[in-house]
Amino acid sequence: MVFVQVACGAHHTLAVSQDGILYTWGRNSSGQLGMETVSEAEYAPAMVAALHMLPIAQVIAGGAHSFVVTVGGSAYGWGNNSFGQLGVGDEKDRSKPTVLTSLKSQCIRRVACGEDHTVALTDAGGVFTVGAGMHGQLGHNSKNNEFLPKKVFELMGSEVSQIACGRRHTLAFVPSTGRIYAFGLNGSGQLGVSSKSQGQALTPMMVVGFWVPYIRQKKIDCEEDLSHQMLTDNPSSQPPTCHGVIAVDLSREQPPKEALEEPVAMQTAKHSPKAMKKSTAEEGTTYDKNKDLIVNQIFGGGDQSFFICSQQEEDLEPVDQRLALFSCPIMTLSVQWVELLEQTIEDNQEERLRELEVIFSSSALLNGSFIRGNEMLSNDELSVLQQSSSHTRVLLRSFSIERDLPASSHHNISFDSALHLLQRIEALTDAHAAMASRMEAALHHCTVTLVPMVQDSEELRIYLILPLCRLFAEARHYESLQIPYAVSVLELKKKRLWADRCLDMWLTSTDTVYFQRLVDIYKRIVIYVIDQTSSNKQYIATRWQQYLLTSLSLLEKLHHISVSSHSKLSYDSFYIPELTTKVDISADYQSWVEQQRFGRPGQYAISFCRFPFVFDAPAKTVLLQTDAALQMQEAVGEAQVQNMFSMISSIAPTLPILLLQVRRDHIMEDTFSQLEQFHVTDLKKPMKVKFVGEEAVDQGGVTKEFFLLLMQKVLNPDYGMFEEHEEIRTMWFREQTFEDESKFASVGMLCGLAIYNFQIIDLRFPLVLYKKLLGSATSLIDLVDFSPAVLHSLEQLLQYEGDDFQETFSLAFEVESRSVLSTLDQPVSSGSRDL
């Protein structure tokens, strides 16, 4: 096992492995190991399971408390909380990692811990402190403890780029001025202030020294710059080349007479970075305290403070702890790693394959990949970054996360980068069979270990990344990839409702290409699973229904997201046309009816009728016909039972059919008058029509002719019930008509009878009518097949940005109202004509 970052507290240790897993060991009396239990001690490294899906950028240990910072800018703390150092608002210890909720929206880039206090550095350069304050180590001009993070007022207006903590003191570095600020206990002179009588500082005080801001002097040679800390993946573990080190190094016990209260140079190295690679720093070289210095990095520990510095002519830029690009020690899927894979796969195949397995088997590592702003830097571009100005680097950092958005409102995944890198890797798998099999096994492990009990929105990125993999799009992997993935997604609603809603929001924000890809994946799986049943009957009885239920349930979730986001995809994007030929839809419907009526499973434990959005027009036709046939059969049966009882009682017999007798020249009057006399149960019987004076027997043709003649008369604009929009040839209700509402209800009844009796009628109503009938929300776009001219006019009004709106359009709030005899302009509401 390879550890890439280690932090030590008073009696416990934290270590992050290369695959992103956090291990802890040591004393656990306050829960500082994060094991969710309290014990005397743990003597062997144990995994912190609660964080196994989070991409860890930094681990920090205080006296008896612990913190981690994630790649996305969240902080989790646990352990001793006697002084409120976990920042959760109370003094109760935590044995499980707990998110620092109050700073969730700030994007934390760095955390430093003292013995009983905690300091957080945000992406914007703000400093927040919490915990013990009896020595002023919180910098709030008081000795009070703080139980919620509080911003250091005296540092507001300064953009801090580095923080560090000793036992009971705090350091902060402001690169724009080159100054170091210190506050807290100064019993051993660890603050570096000039006054010897200053036993503690309650507010930030400037450390004495010839500190100046960094100004780039020259362009650095890329070959020499390779030794610079900024080109490493873990700056905290490899500090920049030390051209000068100054320190305040005093005992935490009673300070001796020679205790130093101002910075003193310890040693100076040769000037050339190349020379530093070959030999250690020369000892005994003196430091000119009258010469200006650039602070490169600050450190605190115990009752000491250390600063790594360089002379101005060395042109070494200070470390910026906020740069997420350089702060993450774990392996992630980056351009640099893919380039290394492409260049060395032939020579170091086994090593590269192991790394591939590590990355693709870990949800934490994939969650830390493709972060927007960090994703497209190649090795050459990293060198260019070294030569950029501080302003350019700050600009790059500002793009690493969208700070104006709430912490969970955006996934911050660069899909373009993800697809680009995955395609490059997949091109290599095509040429190396062993690589393909190892990647498949790794993805399987990653998928089956997804846990819906997530702690943070950062853990949800994996749900958007996995569908981008080509293997995920292949239906043959459904048992190892897509089904476990779908199960985990669906479990979120039961276990973490907030996470389910967050993922829905993220899916809504994706583009239609990605969303359609995910829908198509599970449509293919539905068909693939159905096809598998044709050759394995035992398989049918044991697994296929659960797999189908899971796939269809995920499609249902995606369909709901699409509808809720105002039709992200068209309704026919969810159709599965193959169902008409591969599934007995009629039998499926009857099984579903049994489940609905009697509360027991029908012939099939799963019914496709639970998911009607997958049915296309032919499938829905079969459903309607099956439903009508069942209802007709039931109505006829009831009529026959009634007729049997009529033979022994006074109950009047009834016809087993719905018989309409109409005159051709009075077809509308006869039809409407008879419909008013029928009971609702009669309408469910098979319909027969007889034209008075004609001998034809209705075998279906007479009924078809009846509806054709009747609807032509009813829908004719001359009749006065409906009007036609000539530009798009659709029908709508006439606003002014002589008919009452009962006549319109009778027309609706006729439409239902036609469909119920398998007759096709020409109803040219716009889609918005059916939305209104279903109670669905309508919007401006629904005017497209109702009144395109009105839609165009309203869009022009919305898009107009001039100040002369009234003069340009000269419109009043009126609508045109047409009656049989005239056309009128009517106000929308009382007094709106004058607006």
Side-chain angles (χ1 to χ4, degrees):
M1 183 183 299
V2 177
F3 289 111
V4 294
Q5 194 175 110
V6 176
C8 296
H11 301 285
H12 73 290
T13 304
L14 313 175
V16 181
S17 64
Q18 193 176 35
D19 58 355
I21 302 298
L22 175 63
Y23 293 88
T24 60
W25 61 94
R27 183 172 295 178
N28 194 35
S29 55
S30 300
Q32 57 262 52
L33 299 187
M35 299 286 106
E36 303 185 34
T37 58
V38 175
S39 60
E40 182 61 29
E42 296 293 334
Y43 298 97
M47 182 181 75
V48 180
L51 300 176
H52 88 281
M53 289 178 62
L54 280 172
I56 298 174
Q58 182 199 7
V59 291
I60 318 96
H65 68 291
S66 308
F67 263 90
V68 299
V69 178
T70 67
V71 172
S74 297
Y76 285 79
W78 63 95
N80 185 273
N81 194 35
S82 303
F83 299 93
Q85 56 262 50
L86 299 184
V88 292
D90 57 39
E91 302 174 26
K92 182 180 178 181
D93 293 350
R94 301 292 195 279
S95 60
K96 180 180 180 179
T98 305
V99 66
L100 194 58
T101 308
S102 57
L103 294 182
K104 186 70 174 170
S105 62
Q106 295 290 330
C107 186
I108 301 172
R109 285 305 182 198
R110 198 76 172 180
V111 167
C113 292
E115 186 174 59
D116 297 304
H117 76 290
T118 304
V119 183
L121 175 65
T122 70
D123 193 63
V127 177
F128 291 80
T129 59
V130 68
M134 71 285 290
H135 297 287
Q137 59 262 53
L138 302 185
H140 301 313
N141 197 26
S142 75
K143 297 183 180 182
N144 297 330
N145 299 335
E146 298 291 341
F147 301 101
L148 289 172
K150 183 177 179 181
K151 197 167 188 178
V152 180
F153 179 80
E154 282 74 8
L155 292 177
M156 291 184 185
S158 299
E159 188 171 338
V160 176
S161 65
Q162 294 184 49
I163 56 172
C165 285
R167 188 168 62 97
R168 292 175 180 173
H169 71 286
T170 305
L171 304 172
F173 173 64
V174 179
S176 60
T177 61
R179 293 177 178 175
I180 307 165
Y181 293 90
F183 44 97
L185 183 65
N186 193 36
S188 299
Q190 57 264 50
L191 300 188
V193 295
S194 58
S195 175
K196 295 183 180 181
S197 61
Q198 190 81 26
Q200 58 190 17
L202 304 184
T203 59
M205 301 186 66
M206 189 175 69
V207 177
V208 175
F210 292 90
W211 323 121
V212 294
Y214 169 79
I215 300 175
R216 182 167 297 283
Q217 301 295 319
K218 60 183 179 180
K219 182 176 179 180
I220 300 177
D221 180 74
C222 291
E223 180 181 355
E224 293 185 349
D225 199 38
L226 290 176
S227 64
H228 195 274
Q229 172 266 341
M230 290 299 179
L231 290 182
T232 68
D233 289 331
N234 184 13
S236 58
S237 63
Q238 297 184 25
T241 304
C242 304
H243 291 246
V245 178
I246 62 173
V248 176
D249 186 1
L250 303 177
S251 170
R252 58 185 294 177
E253 307 296 338
Q254 181 66 30
K257 294 181 180 179
E258 63 272 17
L260 304 177
E261 295 182 346
E262 295 185 13
V264 174
M266 295 179 64
Q267 62 183 31
T268 306
K270 289 292 185 180
H271 296 301
S272 171
K274 288 183 177 179
M276 284 297 296
K277 296 187 219 175
K278 299 177 182 178
S279 62
T280 59
E282 293 183 357
E283 298 183 1
T285 308
T286 59
Y287 145 68
D288 185 356
K289 64 181 296 182
N290 296 314
K291 196 167 186 179
D292 292 340
L293 292 172
I294 305 295
V295 176
N296 297 111
Q297 201 163 1
I298 65 174
F299 301 91
D303 288 334
Q304 294 82 33
S305 301
F306 295 87
F307 314 140
I308 295 178
C309 302
S310 61
Q311 305 286 359
Q312 269 194 328
E313 58 267 22
E314 303 301 334
D315 202 22
L316 290 177
E317 189 169 358
V319 169
D320 190 337
Q321 294 175 342
R322 300 167 295 167
L323 286 175
L325 175 65
F326 301 111
S327 64
C328 183
I330 59 176
M331 291 179 62
T332 56
L333 201 56
S334 61
V335 174
Q336 303 95 281
W337 184 83
V338 174
E339 287 179 350
L340 181 65
L341 178 67
E342 292 171 332
Q343 296 166 5
T344 62
I345 184 65
E346 300 296 342
D347 300 330
N348 300 287
Q349 184 173 18
E350 187 57 33
E351 181 181 353
R352 297 287 85 82
L353 290 181
R354 282 198 300 268
E355 293 174 353
L356 183 83
E357 281 185 308
V358 167
I359 293 176
F360 280 95
S361 64
S362 169
S363 54
L365 301 187
L366 290 176
N367 275 329
S369 303
F370 318 123
I371 304 298
R372 185 171 298 163
N374 295 350
E375 71 279 357
M376 293 300 289
L377 291 174
S378 64
N379 289 325
D380 291 338
E381 291 168 326
L382 283 173
S383 298
V384 174
L385 177 62
Q386 283 313 124
Q387 302 166 42
S388 64
S389 67
S390 298
H391 296 291
T392 304
R393 297 182 65 194
V394 170
L395 181 64
L396 171 66
R397 174 179 50 77
S398 69
F399 280 108
S400 66
I401 191 164
E402 299 184 23
R403 292 194 306 237
D404 294 335
L405 295 174
S408 61
S409 64
H410 202 277
H411 47 73
N412 283 311
I413 298 173
S414 173
F415 285 106
D416 291 340
S417 169
L419 284 171
H420 173 71
L421 294 182
L422 289 172
Q423 287 170 358
R424 289 171 65 176
I425 293 173
E426 287 157 1
L428 292 175
T429 62
D430 292 338
H432 299 83
M435 186 176 177
S437 61
R438 300 272 280 268
M439 184 172 176
E440 180 180 347
L443 280 174
H444 169 64
H445 179 270
C446 177
T447 306
V448 298
T449 55
L450 291 177
V451 178
M453 302 292 287
V454 297
Q455 308 292 321
D456 191 278
S457 57
E458 276 193 84
E459 297 174 82
L460 299 176
R461 289 198 194 104
I462 189 68
Y463 293 104
L464 299 185
I465 293 173
L466 284 176
L468 296 174
C469 299
R470 186 175 65 184
L471 290 174
F472 201 89
E474 298 175 0
R476 60 191 177 91
H477 302 297
Y478 71 98
E479 287 188 274
S480 60
L481 295 181
Q482 294 93 333
I483 295 300
Y485 169 90
V487 169
S488 183
V489 170
L490 297 172
E491 282 291 311
L492 286 175
K493 189 171 185 179
K494 301 176 184 178
K495 304 292 181 62
R496 290 288 189 271
L497 183 59
W498 67 265
D500 177 71
R501 292 175 177 173
C502 180
L503 183 59
D504 286 356
M505 179 174 60
W506 287 3
L507 287 169
T508 300
S509 70
T510 59
D511 59 34
T512 55
V513 175
Y514 176 90
F515 201 84
Q516 184 69 65
R517 174 190 177 95
L518 191 54
V519 170
D520 290 342
I521 286 172
Y522 281 91
K523 285 167 58 177
R524 286 195 296 270
I525 291 174
V526 169
I527 298 305
Y528 190 85
V529 173
I530 293 174
D531 289 339
Q532 294 299 303
T533 65
S534 60
S535 58
N536 191 334
K537 300 301 180 183
Q538 182 66 23
Y539 187 75
I540 296 176
T542 56
R543 293 185 178 178
W544 80 290
Q545 296 196 21
Q546 186 58 48
Y547 289 160
L548 281 177
L549 178 62
T550 301
S551 301
L552 289 168
S553 296
L554 187 65
L555 283 173
E556 183 180 38
K557 178 183 180 70
L558 297 175
H559 180 261
H560 175 73
I561 293 173
S562 179
V563 172
S564 300
S565 59
H566 304 292
S567 299
K568 187 175 185 69
L569 298 180
S570 61
Y571 59 87
D572 56 354
S573 298
F574 292 87
Y575 287 170
I576 306 180
E578 296 87 345
L579 292 180
T580 307
T581 57
K582 295 179 181 293
V583 175
D584 187 342
I585 294 177
S586 180
D588 183 86
Y589 177 76
Q590 294 180 54
S591 176
W592 178 74
V593 169
E594 289 182 20
Q595 296 178 44
Q596 298 298 111
R597 288 187 178 180
F598 308 112
R600 65 172 184 264
Q603 181 181 356
Y604 307 109
I606 178 178
S607 173
F608 287 94
C609 291
R610 283 184 51 190
F611 311 95
F613 56 85
V614 301
F615 291 130
D616 59 3
K620 290 175 180 175
T621 301
V622 174
L623 284 174
L624 288 173
Q625 292 176 348
T626 303
D627 178 72
L630 290 175
Q631 293 196 53
M632 287 180 184
Q633 184 180 0
E634 185 176 346
V636 170
E638 291 177 354
Q640 291 174 344
V641 172
Q642 181 176 338
N643 290 336
M644 290 178 60
F645 279 101
S646 68
M647 298 173 64
I648 58 175
S649 67
S650 60
I651 299 176
T654 183
L655 290 174
I657 62 172
L658 176 66
L659 179 61
L660 286 177
Q661 300 187 60
V662 297
R663 296 167 293 177
R664 281 185 180 271
D665 52 349
H666 294 83
I667 188 170
M668 292 184 62
E669 295 86 343
D670 292 347
T671 299
F672 289 141
S673 63
Q674 292 181 59
L675 286 178
E676 293 175 356
Q677 300 172 12
F678 288 123
H679 190 270
V680 64
T681 57
D682 295 323
L683 300 178
K684 292 191 175 184
K685 298 174 182 178
M687 182 177 175
K688 299 293 182 181
V689 177
K690 180 175 177 57
F691 286 106
V692 177
E694 299 182 11
E695 298 296 329
V697 178
D698 189 3
Q699 298 293 330
V702 178
T703 301
K704 182 176 182 180
E705 182 185 9
F706 163 78
F707 278 110
L708 180 63
L709 295 173
L710 184 64
M711 298 310 293
Q712 282 180 347
K713 288 183 175 294
V714 171
L715 297 177
N716 192 326
D718 294 337
Y719 187 70
M721 292 182 69
F722 301 93
E723 61 184 6
E724 183 179 38
H725 293 174
E726 296 180 359
E727 56 181 329
I728 50 177
R729 309 292 294 178
T730 59
M731 307 295 297
W732 195 248
F733 305 95
R734 190 180 293 277
E735 296 177 31
Q736 303 294 330
T737 180
F738 297 113
E739 304 294 342
D740 57 20
E741 290 186 1
S742 63
K743 187 62 68 69
F744 285 95
S746 296
V747 173
M749 189 183 301
L750 282 171
C751 294
L753 282 172
I755 297 172
Y756 185 69
N757 287 274
F758 318 131
Q759 300 299 321
I760 298 175
I761 55 177
D762 184 20
L763 295 176
R764 290 177 283 113
F765 290 106
L767 180 62
V768 68
L769 172 63
Y770 303 101
K771 282 190 171 184
K772 298 292 287 184
L773 290 173
L774 292 172
S776 301
T778 57
S779 61
L780 187 64
I781 195 63
D782 288 314
L783 289 172
V784 68
D785 58 352
F786 177 72
S787 181
V790 173
L791 173 63
H792 178 69
S793 298
L794 292 176
E795 287 178 338
Q796 281 188 315
L797 294 178
L798 291 173
Q799 294 170 3
Y800 190 76
E801 298 180 355
D803 297 330
D804 55 344
F805 184 89
Q806 185 174 354
E807 294 79 4
T808 301
F809 292 98
S810 300
L811 293 175
F813 285 86
E814 298 177 336
V815 293
E816 185 179 85
S817 175
R818 288 179 289 178
S819 65
V820 177
L821 301 177
S822 62
T823 300
L824 301 174
D825 289 334
Q826 294 185 344
V828 175
S829 61
S830 177
S832 63
R833 178 172 286 155
D834 300 327
L835 296 177

